[in-house]
Amino acid sequence: MASQTQKGSSIWETVKTVFWALIIAGIFRTLFFQPFWIPSGSMKDTLLIGDFLFVNKMAYGYSYASCPSIRLGGLDIDAADICGWLDGDNTRILGSEPERGDIIVFRHPVDGTDFIKRLIGLPGDRIQMRGGVLHINGKPVEIEPAGAFVEEFAPQGPMRIRPRCSNGVVGVGADCIKQRFTETLPGGTRHAFLDIGPQRADNTGVFTVPEGHYFFMGDNRDNSTDSRFPQAVGGVGFVPYENLIGRANRVIFSSAGRSMLFFWTWRGDRFFEGLE
């Protein structure tokens, strides 16, 4: 039988192994890639509820937002608690500028929640929606019809969110339809966006993006809380440069069910799919 000393030594070795594994994982997540699970449909059909991806933190350099937030049970440690010494001057270490059209994970400027949206407006840009058409610096972007996006009207993901449809109120299990368009942004980035019909945010005032800030929108235009809505009413508003976390390039895994363990709900056709 093992002696008490041997048992104690074995436990201590296990504790040290777990400790260093957590340190290495924390460094990897802080410097290189952060896992992100898509919880809502604001980026359909580019990103679906249940898509899992890794965010490239090296794309734009590092700020306080690069540090992970830890929220587990009663533990609530914010990124600013760990790396607050980097916060406040809206700069980044080894920073590089994002490009219009990038899909970016960023920290909400007020509550610190992680969001994922598409970068639409750069510093100094004038952004406006007119009749559902995006205008940048006074010019409408080029759009063309791209068919319909059809999904089942049913609760989706762990939050059991029901989609909104352009074909009105439909029953559970019926086809929920949205119109799909392809949009070409200045600089040449082409991407799909969805439309369900006239909405309040289809016509806005002109948003002039401040220096050091960015303007984001979801591809599911009529179902996205983004920079079109001010922070005072729960929107995103303009996002500071230091709040960018990283760029999303590829879906790694996707599950249409309430849990990634429900293998029968896996979307095999989305594994390792590149994002546009």
Side-chain angles (χ1 to χ4, degrees), residues 100 122 124-128 130 135-140 186 207:
R100 195 193 312 273
L122 304 175
D125 281 344
R126 301 186 313 279
I127 308 296
Q128 185 178 25
R130 300 183 197 168
H135 287 63
I136 300 178
N137 296 323
K139 298 180 180 180
F207 302 95

Side-chain angles (χ1 to χ4, degrees), residues 167-182:
N167 54 326
V169 179
V170 299
V172 174
D175 285 346
C176 176
I177 301 173
K178 298 179 181 65
Q179 300 307 308
R180 181 196 283 118
F181 297 87
T182 298

Side-chain angles (χ1 to χ4, degrees), residues 4-222:
Q4 290 296 112
T5 301
Q6 289 175 320
K7 288 182 179 179
S9 177
S10 177
I11 293 172
W12 177 239
E13 288 300 320
T14 300
V15 170
K16 288 196 296 183
T17 299
V18 172
F19 172 79
W20 285 113
L22 291 174
I23 292 295
I24 293 170
I27 293 173
F28 183 86
R29 180 173 175 179
T30 299
L31 296 180
F32 302 111
F33 297 97
Q34 175 175 316
F36 192 83
W37 189 276
I38 304 300
S40 73
S42 68
M43 282 293 292
K44 289 179 181 176
D45 65 335
T46 305
L47 292 167
L48 303 180
I49 296 175
D51 282 351
F52 178 81
L53 46 87
F54 283 101
V55 178
N56 180 4
K57 288 191 168 186
M58 298 175 285
Y60 311 124
Y62 304 95
S63 71
Y64 86 97
S66 303
C67 284
S69 296
I70 303 172
R71 295 182 175 91
L72 183 63
L75 189 64
D76 187 359
I77 302 175
D78 190 76
D81 297 328
I82 304 172
C83 295
W85 57 277
L86 288 171
D87 188 12
D89 59 1
N90 202 25
T91 61
R92 307 181 72 86
I93 298 173
L94 302 176
S96 60
E97 298 293 329
E99 296 182 3
R100 195 193 312 273
D102 284 357
I103 300 172
I104 297 176
V105 173
F106 59 88
R107 284 174 56 87
H108 190 284
V110 175
D111 62 26
T113 305
D114 289 350
F115 274 59
I116 184 166
K117 306 288 181 185
R118 189 178 298 275
L119 176 56
I120 297 297
L122 304 175
D125 281 344
R126 301 186 313 279
I127 308 296
Q128 185 178 25
M129 295 294 294
R130 300 183 197 168
V133 177
L134 172 64
H135 287 63
I136 300 178
N137 296 323
K139 298 180 180 180
V141 300
E142 178 185 335
I143 62 172
E144 54 188 277
F149 172 70
V150 182
E151 60 184 335
E152 180 183 359
F153 183 77
Q156 299 178 356
M159 299 173 64
R160 314 309 289 157
I161 298 172
R162 296 175 185 264
R164 298 177 65 195
C165 318
S166 62
N167 54 326
V169 179
V170 299
V172 174
D175 285 346
C176 176
I177 301 173
K178 298 179 181 65
Q179 300 307 308
R180 181 196 283 118
F181 297 87
T182 298
E183 183 174 77
T184 303
L185 299 175
T189 298
R190 289 168 54 86
H191 68 95
F193 74 91
L194 303 182
D195 179 69
I196 64 172
Q199 303 290 317
R200 178 170 61 92
D202 285 346
N203 293 281
T204 70
V206 176
F207 302 95
T208 300
V209 185
E211 188 66 30
H213 291 71
Y214 298 92
F215 190 97
F216 289 90
M217 293 175 64
D219 290 349
N220 192 359
R221 289 285 164 81
D222 296 330

